[in-house]
Amino acid sequence: MEIMTPLGIIFAAVCLITGFLLEGGHIGALVAPTAFIIVVGGTIGATVVAFSTKEVLSIPILIKTAITKKVPDFTETINLIVELSEKARREGLLYLDSQLDTLDDPFLRKAMQLVVDGTDPEMVRSILETEIYSSYDRHQVGVHIFEAAGGYAPTMGIIGTVMGLVHVLGNLSDPDSLGPAIAMAFIATLYGVGSANIFWLPIGSKLKNLSKKELVLREMVIEGILALQAGYNPTIIRERLNAFIKPGESKKLQDEGEA
């Protein structure tokens, strides 16, 4: 599990509630079932309209991905490609056929299979690039779902507040109840803005970050596999792939390779 994602959401919520309590509020004032129904139900309903049924049903999977999927390890992939290139230089490309089942990454395994099958390098690049950009486009749909929900939620909160105020202004016979009633009406706005900025938008940003990192990782895999297919020296391949990571990590990786 990527612990920082749920931890960040919980930390933000706790800080908001703690600040409210320190100002003299009480936790019961934040509980408003009707406001929750209006905001959450309205947000989900509006999001369903904007996307297909299949895309909306993927929301639980997207949330699980944001919480459990870790940022790809570039250095581990570089080491693996360099190791495979060393074996290919010693044993030949056909030897790598026996190593395919040991590769956990389906994309890397597919790339190696194309190389082992003797596919033309340009065709290898074309096939793999088509796959990564198609995958990237699919991932962006998930990002757009959460960004859309993050845009609808505050608006639904305002709608809930207006509905609450309409009810309050329609019952002015009891002035003593106006204050609590108005405060309760504004809870809908709190739910809308809070859910957007604590949950919907952060999850969307996390998915966008994961998608971008995966795209760059797969571009790196393509470069590494094509260099392996061309028979480049493993040291040259490592130097070529080091361009995809931070300078500090690149230096550390180079030192490990020399060791």
Side-chain angles (χ1 to χ4, degrees):
M1 175 181 290
E2 182 61 39
I3 188 64
M4 293 306 295
T5 300
L7 184 62
I9 294 173
I10 294 171
F11 181 74
V14 168
C15 286
L16 292 179
I17 295 173
T18 301
F20 176 76
L21 296 176
L22 290 176
E23 287 294 323
H26 56 91
I27 198 69
L30 298 177
V31 179
T34 53
F36 182 84
I37 292 172
I38 291 171
V39 173
V40 175
T43 299
I44 294 175
T47 305
V48 168
V49 172
F51 298 90
S52 69
T53 302
K54 183 178 180 181
E55 291 167 345
V56 172
L57 291 177
S58 69
I59 289 178
I61 298 175
L62 293 172
I63 294 174
K64 180 181 178 182
T65 299
I67 293 176
T68 61
K69 188 172 182 178
K70 296 183 178 181
V71 174
D73 190 338
F74 282 66
T75 57
E76 180 180 337
T77 302
I78 291 175
N79 284 332
L80 179 57
I81 293 175
V82 171
E83 180 183 345
L84 291 172
S85 69
E86 291 172 346
K87 292 179 178 179
R89 282 174 67 86
R90 290 196 305 265
E91 309 290 343
L93 287 176
L94 291 179
Y95 171 78
L96 298 179
D97 188 34
S98 63
Q99 305 297 307
L100 293 177
D101 292 337
T102 65
L103 302 178
D104 296 326
D105 183 356
F107 184 78
L108 177 58
R109 185 165 57 248
K110 180 176 182 177
M112 288 301 306
Q113 183 67 67
L114 290 171
V115 170
V116 170
D117 290 343
T119 309
D120 180 76
E122 288 301 317
M123 182 59 68
V124 171
R125 180 183 292 276
S126 177
I127 292 173
L128 296 179
E129 285 184 346
T130 299
E131 179 171 334
I132 66 173
Y133 289 111
S134 296
S135 176
Y136 181 76
D137 287 340
R138 290 194 300 271
H139 293 166
Q140 292 310 294
V141 174
V143 173
H144 295 329
I145 289 175
F146 284 88
E147 289 181 341
Y152 295 136
T155 305
M156 294 300 167
I158 294 173
I159 292 173
T161 296
V162 172
M163 293 172 66
L165 291 176
V166 168
H167 176 70
V168 170
L169 295 175
N171 296 275
L172 296 177
S173 57
D174 185 7
D176 293 337
S177 65
L178 288 180
I182 292 173
M184 184 60 67
F186 277 99
I187 292 297
T189 298
L190 176 63
Y191 283 178
V193 176
S195 63
N197 290 280
I198 292 178
F199 182 74
W200 298 114
L201 295 178
I203 292 293
S205 296
K206 179 62 179 292
L207 291 173
K208 183 186 292 185
N209 182 46
L210 287 172
S211 179
K212 182 62 177 177
K213 291 287 176 45
E214 182 179 276
L215 174 66
V216 175
L217 176 69
R218 290 185 170 184
E219 288 176 341
M220 185 188 75
V221 168
I222 292 176
E223 294 301 324
I225 291 301
L226 290 177
L228 181 154
Q229 186 180 28
Y232 289 176
N233 185 289
T235 302
I236 299 300
I237 295 177
R238 183 183 294 278
E239 289 295 329
R240 188 169 184 171
L241 299 184
N242 281 347
F244 287 87
I245 60 178
K246 296 177 181 179
E249 295 178 353
S250 175
K251 180 64 168 61
K252 181 180 178 181
L253 192 60
Q254 184 177 2
D255 292 341
E256 292 177 352
E258 293 175 353

mmCIF file of all heavy atoms in Angstrom, residues 64-102:
data_model
loop_
_atom_site.group_PDB
_atom_site.id
_atom_site.type_symbol
_atom_site.label_atom_id
_atom_site.label_comp_id
_atom_site.label_asym_id
_atom_site.label_seq_id
_atom_site.Cartn_x
_atom_site.Cartn_y
_atom_site.Cartn_z
ATOM 1 N N LYS A 64 -8.831 2.214 -5.397
ATOM 2 C CA LYS A 64 -7.896 1.191 -4.929
ATOM 3 C C LYS A 64 -6.516 1.397 -5.549
ATOM 4 O O LYS A 64 -5.485 1.263 -4.868
ATOM 5 C CB LYS A 64 -8.430 -0.195 -5.284
ATOM 6 C CG LYS A 64 -7.516 -1.325 -4.837
ATOM 7 C CD LYS A 64 -8.077 -2.686 -5.235
ATOM 8 C CE LYS A 64 -7.129 -3.807 -4.833
ATOM 9 N NZ LYS A 64 -7.642 -5.140 -5.248
ATOM 10 N N THR A 65 -6.482 1.749 -6.831
ATOM 11 C CA THR A 65 -5.205 2.004 -7.510
ATOM 12 C C THR A 65 -4.467 3.166 -6.861
ATOM 13 O O THR A 65 -3.260 3.096 -6.625
ATOM 14 C CB THR A 65 -5.451 2.313 -8.999
ATOM 15 O OG1 THR A 65 -6.066 1.186 -9.621
ATOM 16 C CG2 THR A 65 -4.134 2.623 -9.707
ATOM 17 N N ALA A 66 -5.193 4.243 -6.571
ATOM 18 C CA ALA A 66 -4.562 5.423 -5.967
ATOM 19 C C ALA A 66 -3.997 5.119 -4.587
ATOM 20 O O ALA A 66 -2.974 5.676 -4.186
ATOM 21 C CB ALA A 66 -5.575 6.559 -5.878
ATOM 22 N N ILE A 67 -4.669 4.210 -3.866
ATOM 23 C CA ILE A 67 -4.250 3.910 -2.493
ATOM 24 C C ILE A 67 -3.151 2.848 -2.452
ATOM 25 O O ILE A 67 -2.247 2.918 -1.614
ATOM 26 C CB ILE A 67 -5.459 3.457 -1.660
ATOM 27 C CG1 ILE A 67 -6.435 4.630 -1.494
ATOM 28 C CG2 ILE A 67 -5.033 2.935 -0.293
ATOM 29 C CD1 ILE A 67 -7.720 4.259 -0.766
ATOM 30 N N THR A 68 -3.219 1.874 -3.348
ATOM 31 C CA THR A 68 -2.318 0.723 -3.241
ATOM 32 C C THR A 68 -1.132 0.745 -4.207
ATOM 33 O O THR A 68 -0.092 0.150 -3.912
ATOM 34 C CB THR A 68 -3.095 -0.585 -3.472
ATOM 35 O OG1 THR A 68 -3.671 -0.575 -4.798
ATOM 36 C CG2 THR A 68 -4.215 -0.723 -2.457
ATOM 37 N N LYS A 69 -1.288 1.417 -5.366
ATOM 38 C CA LYS A 69 -0.226 1.347 -6.364
ATOM 39 C C LYS A 69 0.902 2.317 -6.028
ATOM 40 O O LYS A 69 0.669 3.499 -5.769
ATOM 41 C CB LYS A 69 -0.777 1.668 -7.755
ATOM 42 C CG LYS A 69 0.240 1.415 -8.865
ATOM 43 C CD LYS A 69 -0.393 1.551 -10.238
ATOM 44 C CE LYS A 69 0.598 1.243 -11.346
ATOM 45 N NZ LYS A 69 -0.011 1.322 -12.681
ATOM 46 N N LYS A 70 2.113 1.812 -6.062
ATOM 47 C CA LYS A 70 3.279 2.634 -5.763
ATOM 48 C C LYS A 70 3.858 3.239 -7.046
ATOM 49 O O LYS A 70 3.624 2.728 -8.144
ATOM 50 C CB LYS A 70 4.351 1.806 -5.058
ATOM 51 C CG LYS A 70 3.926 1.292 -3.685
ATOM 52 C CD LYS A 70 5.055 0.543 -3.004
ATOM 53 C CE LYS A 70 4.647 0.068 -1.618
ATOM 54 N NZ LYS A 70 5.753 -0.653 -0.924
ATOM 55 N N VAL A 71 4.587 4.326 -6.872
ATOM 56 C CA VAL A 71 5.271 4.943 -8.012
ATOM 57 C C VAL A 71 6.286 3.943 -8.558
ATOM 58 O O VAL A 71 7.022 3.302 -7.788
ATOM 59 C CB VAL A 71 5.980 6.241 -7.582
ATOM 60 C CG1 VAL A 71 6.804 6.817 -8.729
ATOM 61 C CG2 VAL A 71 4.953 7.263 -7.102
ATOM 62 N N PRO A 72 6.343 3.745 -9.872
ATOM 63 C CA PRO A 72 7.267 2.756 -10.455
ATOM 64 C C PRO A 72 8.719 2.995 -10.045
ATOM 65 O O PRO A 72 9.157 4.142 -9.905
ATOM 66 C CB PRO A 72 7.085 2.953 -11.967
ATOM 67 C CG PRO A 72 5.745 3.581 -12.117
ATOM 68 C CD PRO A 72 5.546 4.433 -10.901
ATOM 69 N N ASP A 73 9.436 1.906 -9.847
ATOM 70 C CA ASP A 73 10.848 1.974 -9.470
ATOM 71 C C ASP A 73 11.699 1.959 -10.743
ATOM 72 O O ASP A 73 11.912 0.914 -11.355
ATOM 73 C CB ASP A 73 11.206 0.786 -8.576
ATOM 74 C CG ASP A 73 12.589 0.921 -7.961
ATOM 75 O OD1 ASP A 73 13.420 1.677 -8.526
ATOM 76 O OD2 ASP A 73 12.842 0.297 -6.925
ATOM 77 N N PHE A 74 12.183 3.123 -11.132
ATOM 78 C CA PHE A 74 12.964 3.244 -12.361
ATOM 79 C C PHE A 74 14.310 2.532 -12.232
ATOM 80 O O PHE A 74 14.761 1.888 -13.175
ATOM 81 C CB PHE A 74 13.190 4.725 -12.690
ATOM 82 C CG PHE A 74 11.994 5.395 -13.316
ATOM 83 C CD1 PHE A 74 10.824 5.573 -12.602
ATOM 84 C CD2 PHE A 74 12.037 5.846 -14.629
ATOM 85 C CE1 PHE A 74 9.716 6.187 -13.172
ATOM 86 C CE2 PHE A 74 10.939 6.462 -15.212
ATOM 87 C CZ PHE A 74 9.773 6.630 -14.479
ATOM 88 N N THR A 75 14.956 2.669 -11.088
ATOM 89 C CA THR A 75 16.289 2.077 -10.929
ATOM 90 C C THR A 75 16.238 0.556 -11.008
ATOM 91 O O THR A 75 17.127 -0.075 -11.582
ATOM 92 C CB THR A 75 16.913 2.505 -9.587
ATOM 93 O OG1 THR A 75 16.038 2.124 -8.501
ATOM 94 C CG2 THR A 75 17.106 4.011 -9.539
ATOM 95 N N GLU A 76 15.188 -0.026 -10.464
ATOM 96 C CA GLU A 76 15.050 -1.483 -10.522
ATOM 97 C C GLU A 76 14.880 -1.947 -11.966
ATOM 98 O O GLU A 76 15.463 -2.954 -12.372
ATOM 99 C CB GLU A 76 13.847 -1.913 -9.681
ATOM 100 C CG GLU A 76 13.614 -3.414 -9.661
ATOM 101 C CD GLU A 76 12.413 -3.802 -8.813
ATOM 102 O OE1 GLU A 76 12.034 -3.019 -7.921
ATOM 103 O OE2 GLU A 76 11.853 -4.897 -9.062
ATOM 104 N N THR A 77 14.108 -1.198 -12.740
ATOM 105 C CA THR A 77 13.896 -1.559 -14.139
ATOM 106 C C THR A 77 15.171 -1.402 -14.947
ATOM 107 O O THR A 77 15.483 -2.231 -15.809
ATOM 108 C CB THR A 77 12.784 -0.680 -14.740
ATOM 109 O OG1 THR A 77 11.579 -0.840 -13.979
ATOM 110 C CG2 THR A 77 12.502 -1.081 -16.186
ATOM 111 N N ILE A 78 15.929 -0.336 -14.672
ATOM 112 C CA ILE A 78 17.206 -0.139 -15.372
ATOM 113 C C ILE A 78 18.150 -1.302 -15.095
ATOM 114 O O ILE A 78 18.778 -1.854 -16.015
ATOM 115 C CB ILE A 78 17.845 1.201 -14.955
ATOM 116 C CG1 ILE A 78 17.029 2.374 -15.495
ATOM 117 C CG2 ILE A 78 19.290 1.284 -15.462
ATOM 118 C CD1 ILE A 78 17.522 3.731 -15.037
ATOM 119 N N ASN A 79 18.258 -1.681 -13.836
ATOM 120 C CA ASN A 79 19.132 -2.800 -13.481
ATOM 121 C C ASN A 79 18.712 -4.080 -14.194
ATOM 122 O O ASN A 79 19.551 -4.857 -14.655
ATOM 123 C CB ASN A 79 19.104 -3.017 -11.966
ATOM 124 C CG ASN A 79 19.915 -1.974 -11.212
ATOM 125 O OD1 ASN A 79 20.877 -1.414 -11.741
ATOM 126 N ND2 ASN A 79 19.520 -1.699 -9.983
ATOM 127 N N LEU A 80 17.401 -4.301 -14.294
ATOM 128 C CA LEU A 80 16.906 -5.508 -14.934
ATOM 129 C C LEU A 80 17.222 -5.516 -16.429
ATOM 130 O O LEU A 80 17.667 -6.529 -16.978
ATOM 131 C CB LEU A 80 15.395 -5.614 -14.720
ATOM 132 C CG LEU A 80 14.697 -6.821 -15.359
ATOM 133 C CD1 LEU A 80 15.324 -8.128 -14.879
ATOM 134 C CD2 LEU A 80 13.205 -6.795 -15.048
ATOM 135 N N ILE A 81 17.015 -4.373 -17.100
ATOM 136 C CA ILE A 81 17.297 -4.298 -18.538
ATOM 137 C C ILE A 81 18.792 -4.486 -18.800
ATOM 138 O O ILE A 81 19.189 -5.179 -19.746
ATOM 139 C CB ILE A 81 16.805 -2.953 -19.106
ATOM 140 C CG1 ILE A 81 15.270 -2.895 -19.057
ATOM 141 C CG2 ILE A 81 17.294 -2.763 -20.541
ATOM 142 C CD1 ILE A 81 14.692 -1.560 -19.486
ATOM 143 N N VAL A 82 19.626 -3.878 -17.981
ATOM 144 C CA VAL A 82 21.077 -4.027 -18.142
ATOM 145 C C VAL A 82 21.485 -5.483 -17.925
ATOM 146 O O VAL A 82 22.312 -6.034 -18.662
ATOM 147 C CB VAL A 82 21.825 -3.101 -17.166
ATOM 148 C CG1 VAL A 82 23.323 -3.415 -17.169
ATOM 149 C CG2 VAL A 82 21.608 -1.639 -17.532
ATOM 150 N N GLU A 83 20.888 -6.118 -16.931
ATOM 151 C CA GLU A 83 21.182 -7.526 -16.666
ATOM 152 C C GLU A 83 20.781 -8.397 -17.864
ATOM 153 O O GLU A 83 21.523 -9.301 -18.268
ATOM 154 C CB GLU A 83 20.435 -7.982 -15.414
ATOM 155 C CG GLU A 83 20.676 -9.443 -15.053
ATOM 156 C CD GLU A 83 19.872 -9.888 -13.841
ATOM 157 O OE1 GLU A 83 19.363 -9.004 -13.114
ATOM 158 O OE2 GLU A 83 19.739 -11.105 -13.646
ATOM 159 N N LEU A 84 19.627 -8.118 -18.443
ATOM 160 C CA LEU A 84 19.187 -8.868 -19.615
ATOM 161 C C LEU A 84 20.094 -8.630 -20.816
ATOM 162 O O LEU A 84 20.378 -9.548 -21.596
ATOM 163 C CB LEU A 84 17.749 -8.476 -19.967
ATOM 164 C CG LEU A 84 16.657 -8.926 -18.987
ATOM 165 C CD1 LEU A 84 15.318 -8.311 -19.359
ATOM 166 C CD2 LEU A 84 16.545 -10.449 -18.962
ATOM 167 N N SER A 85 20.584 -7.401 -20.947
ATOM 168 C CA SER A 85 21.482 -7.093 -22.065
ATOM 169 C C SER A 85 22.808 -7.835 -21.921
ATOM 170 O O SER A 85 23.387 -8.280 -22.921
ATOM 171 C CB SER A 85 21.723 -5.581 -22.146
ATOM 172 O OG SER A 85 22.491 -5.122 -21.052
ATOM 173 N N GLU A 86 23.272 -7.986 -20.696
ATOM 174 C CA GLU A 86 24.511 -8.732 -20.466
ATOM 175 C C GLU A 86 24.330 -10.202 -20.844
ATOM 176 O O GLU A 86 25.208 -10.817 -21.458
ATOM 177 C CB GLU A 86 24.921 -8.608 -18.998
ATOM 178 C CG GLU A 86 25.379 -7.201 -18.614
ATOM 179 C CD GLU A 86 25.602 -7.044 -17.124
ATOM 180 O OE1 GLU A 86 25.143 -7.940 -16.368
ATOM 181 O OE2 GLU A 86 26.213 -6.045 -16.711
ATOM 182 N N LYS A 87 23.174 -10.760 -20.488
ATOM 183 C CA LYS A 87 22.897 -12.160 -20.839
ATOM 184 C C LYS A 87 22.756 -12.317 -22.349
ATOM 185 O O LYS A 87 23.203 -13.314 -22.933
ATOM 186 C CB LYS A 87 21.624 -12.628 -20.138
ATOM 187 C CG LYS A 87 21.757 -12.743 -18.624
ATOM 188 C CD LYS A 87 20.443 -13.193 -18.003
ATOM 189 C CE LYS A 87 20.592 -13.343 -16.488
ATOM 190 N NZ LYS A 87 19.319 -13.755 -15.836
ATOM 191 N N ALA A 88 22.134 -11.322 -22.986
ATOM 192 C CA ALA A 88 21.951 -11.395 -24.437
ATOM 193 C C ALA A 88 23.286 -11.349 -25.170
ATOM 194 O O ALA A 88 23.469 -12.031 -26.181
ATOM 195 C CB ALA A 88 21.051 -10.246 -24.903
ATOM 196 N N ARG A 89 24.247 -10.560 -24.664
ATOM 197 C CA ARG A 89 25.570 -10.475 -25.309
ATOM 198 C C ARG A 89 26.344 -11.778 -25.143
ATOM 199 O O ARG A 89 27.101 -12.179 -26.032
ATOM 200 C CB ARG A 89 26.371 -9.313 -24.710
ATOM 201 C CG ARG A 89 25.944 -7.951 -25.248
ATOM 202 C CD ARG A 89 26.663 -6.837 -24.513
ATOM 203 N NE ARG A 89 28.092 -6.835 -24.784
ATOM 204 C CZ ARG A 89 28.670 -6.228 -25.816
ATOM 205 N NH1 ARG A 89 27.925 -5.576 -26.695
ATOM 206 N NH2 ARG A 89 29.977 -6.256 -25.976
ATOM 207 N N ARG A 90 26.140 -12.446 -24.008
ATOM 208 C CA ARG A 90 26.874 -13.686 -23.760
ATOM 209 C C ARG A 90 26.224 -14.890 -24.453
ATOM 210 O O ARG A 90 26.908 -15.720 -25.041
ATOM 211 C CB ARG A 90 26.965 -13.963 -22.257
ATOM 212 C CG ARG A 90 27.861 -13.018 -21.491
ATOM 213 C CD ARG A 90 28.203 -13.606 -20.125
ATOM 214 N NE ARG A 90 26.994 -13.934 -19.378
ATOM 215 C CZ ARG A 90 26.413 -13.131 -18.490
ATOM 216 N NH1 ARG A 90 26.926 -11.924 -18.270
ATOM 217 N NH2 ARG A 90 25.327 -13.500 -17.848
ATOM 218 N N GLU A 91 24.893 -14.955 -24.351
ATOM 219 C CA GLU A 91 24.176 -16.159 -24.794
ATOM 220 C C GLU A 91 23.414 -15.983 -26.101
ATOM 221 O O GLU A 91 22.990 -16.974 -26.700
ATOM 222 C CB GLU A 91 23.189 -16.600 -23.701
ATOM 223 C CG GLU A 91 23.791 -16.726 -22.316
ATOM 224 C CD GLU A 91 24.751 -17.890 -22.195
ATOM 225 O OE1 GLU A 91 24.700 -18.790 -23.077
ATOM 226 O OE2 GLU A 91 25.545 -17.931 -21.240
ATOM 227 N N GLY A 92 23.194 -14.734 -26.515
ATOM 228 C CA GLY A 92 22.388 -14.482 -27.708
ATOM 229 C C GLY A 92 20.951 -14.123 -27.334
ATOM 230 O O GLY A 92 20.480 -14.447 -26.240
ATOM 231 N N LEU A 93 20.255 -13.479 -28.256
ATOM 232 C CA LEU A 93 18.897 -13.009 -27.974
ATOM 233 C C LEU A 93 17.931 -14.160 -27.697
ATOM 234 O O LEU A 93 17.008 -14.023 -26.885
ATOM 235 C CB LEU A 93 18.376 -12.175 -29.152
ATOM 236 C CG LEU A 93 18.982 -10.777 -29.330
ATOM 237 C CD1 LEU A 93 18.443 -10.124 -30.595
ATOM 238 C CD2 LEU A 93 18.678 -9.911 -28.109
ATOM 239 N N LEU A 94 18.129 -15.291 -28.374
ATOM 240 C CA LEU A 94 17.209 -16.415 -28.189
ATOM 241 C C LEU A 94 17.243 -16.956 -26.760
ATOM 242 O O LEU A 94 16.263 -17.537 -26.286
ATOM 243 C CB LEU A 94 17.527 -17.537 -29.184
ATOM 244 C CG LEU A 94 17.222 -17.221 -30.652
ATOM 245 C CD1 LEU A 94 17.607 -18.397 -31.532
ATOM 246 C CD2 LEU A 94 15.746 -16.884 -30.827
ATOM 247 N N TYR A 95 18.383 -16.752 -26.072
ATOM 248 C CA TYR A 95 18.482 -17.207 -24.682
ATOM 249 C C TYR A 95 17.447 -16.495 -23.803
ATOM 250 O O TYR A 95 16.957 -17.060 -22.815
ATOM 251 C CB TYR A 95 19.893 -16.945 -24.147
ATOM 252 C CG TYR A 95 20.028 -17.185 -22.660
ATOM 253 C CD1 TYR A 95 20.144 -18.470 -22.144
ATOM 254 C CD2 TYR A 95 20.031 -16.110 -21.763
ATOM 255 C CE1 TYR A 95 20.258 -18.692 -20.784
ATOM 256 C CE2 TYR A 95 20.150 -16.321 -20.401
ATOM 257 C CZ TYR A 95 20.264 -17.613 -19.917
ATOM 258 O OH TYR A 95 20.378 -17.825 -18.568
ATOM 259 N N LEU A 96 17.095 -15.265 -24.172
ATOM 260 C CA LEU A 96 16.162 -14.478 -23.368
ATOM 261 C C LEU A 96 14.755 -15.067 -23.378
ATOM 262 O O LEU A 96 13.936 -14.735 -22.526
ATOM 263 C CB LEU A 96 16.120 -13.036 -23.874
ATOM 264 C CG LEU A 96 17.445 -12.267 -23.794
ATOM 265 C CD1 LEU A 96 17.265 -10.865 -24.349
ATOM 266 C CD2 LEU A 96 17.941 -12.206 -22.353
ATOM 267 N N ASP A 97 14.483 -15.946 -24.339
ATOM 268 C CA ASP A 97 13.166 -16.580 -24.388
ATOM 269 C C ASP A 97 12.882 -17.350 -23.102
ATOM 270 O O ASP A 97 11.738 -17.403 -22.624
ATOM 271 C CB ASP A 97 13.104 -17.514 -25.597
ATOM 272 C CG ASP A 97 11.697 -18.062 -25.828
ATOM 273 O OD1 ASP A 97 10.729 -17.322 -25.552
ATOM 274 O OD2 ASP A 97 11.575 -19.210 -26.279
ATOM 275 N N SER A 98 13.931 -17.949 -22.532
ATOM 276 C CA SER A 98 13.766 -18.714 -21.294
ATOM 277 C C SER A 98 13.607 -17.813 -20.078
ATOM 278 O O SER A 98 13.246 -18.280 -18.992
ATOM 279 C CB SER A 98 14.968 -19.648 -21.085
ATOM 280 O OG SER A 98 16.169 -18.893 -20.939
ATOM 281 N N GLN A 99 13.879 -16.522 -20.248
ATOM 282 C CA GLN A 99 13.787 -15.577 -19.127
ATOM 283 C C GLN A 99 12.460 -14.821 -19.089
ATOM 284 O O GLN A 99 12.190 -14.079 -18.138
ATOM 285 C CB GLN A 99 14.932 -14.555 -19.226
ATOM 286 C CG GLN A 99 16.325 -15.156 -19.295
ATOM 287 C CD GLN A 99 16.667 -15.931 -18.046
ATOM 288 O OE1 GLN A 99 16.568 -15.415 -16.938
ATOM 289 N NE2 GLN A 99 17.076 -17.181 -18.225
ATOM 290 N N LEU A 100 11.623 -15.006 -20.100
ATOM 291 C CA LEU A 100 10.389 -14.222 -20.193
ATOM 292 C C LEU A 100 9.461 -14.462 -19.013
ATOM 293 O O LEU A 100 8.833 -13.534 -18.500
ATOM 294 C CB LEU A 100 9.667 -14.546 -21.506
ATOM 295 C CG LEU A 100 10.385 -14.107 -22.790
ATOM 296 C CD1 LEU A 100 9.590 -14.556 -24.012
ATOM 297 C CD2 LEU A 100 10.573 -12.596 -22.809
ATOM 298 N N ASP A 101 9.364 -15.707 -18.569
ATOM 299 C CA ASP A 101 8.441 -16.030 -17.481
ATOM 300 C C ASP A 101 8.881 -15.429 -16.148
ATOM 301 O O ASP A 101 8.084 -15.363 -15.206
ATOM 302 C CB ASP A 101 8.308 -17.550 -17.334
ATOM 303 C CG ASP A 101 7.583 -18.168 -18.529
ATOM 304 O OD1 ASP A 101 6.840 -17.434 -19.211
ATOM 305 O OD2 ASP A 101 7.772 -19.378 -18.777
ATOM 306 N N THR A 102 10.122 -14.994 -16.062
ATOM 307 C CA THR A 102 10.618 -14.416 -14.809
ATOM 308 C C THR A 102 10.331 -12.914 -14.716
ATOM 309 O O THR A 102 10.554 -12.318 -13.664
ATOM 310 C CB THR A 102 12.137 -14.635 -14.684
ATOM 311 O OG1 THR A 102 12.821 -13.903 -15.712
ATOM 312 C CG2 THR A 102 12.482 -16.101 -14.811
#
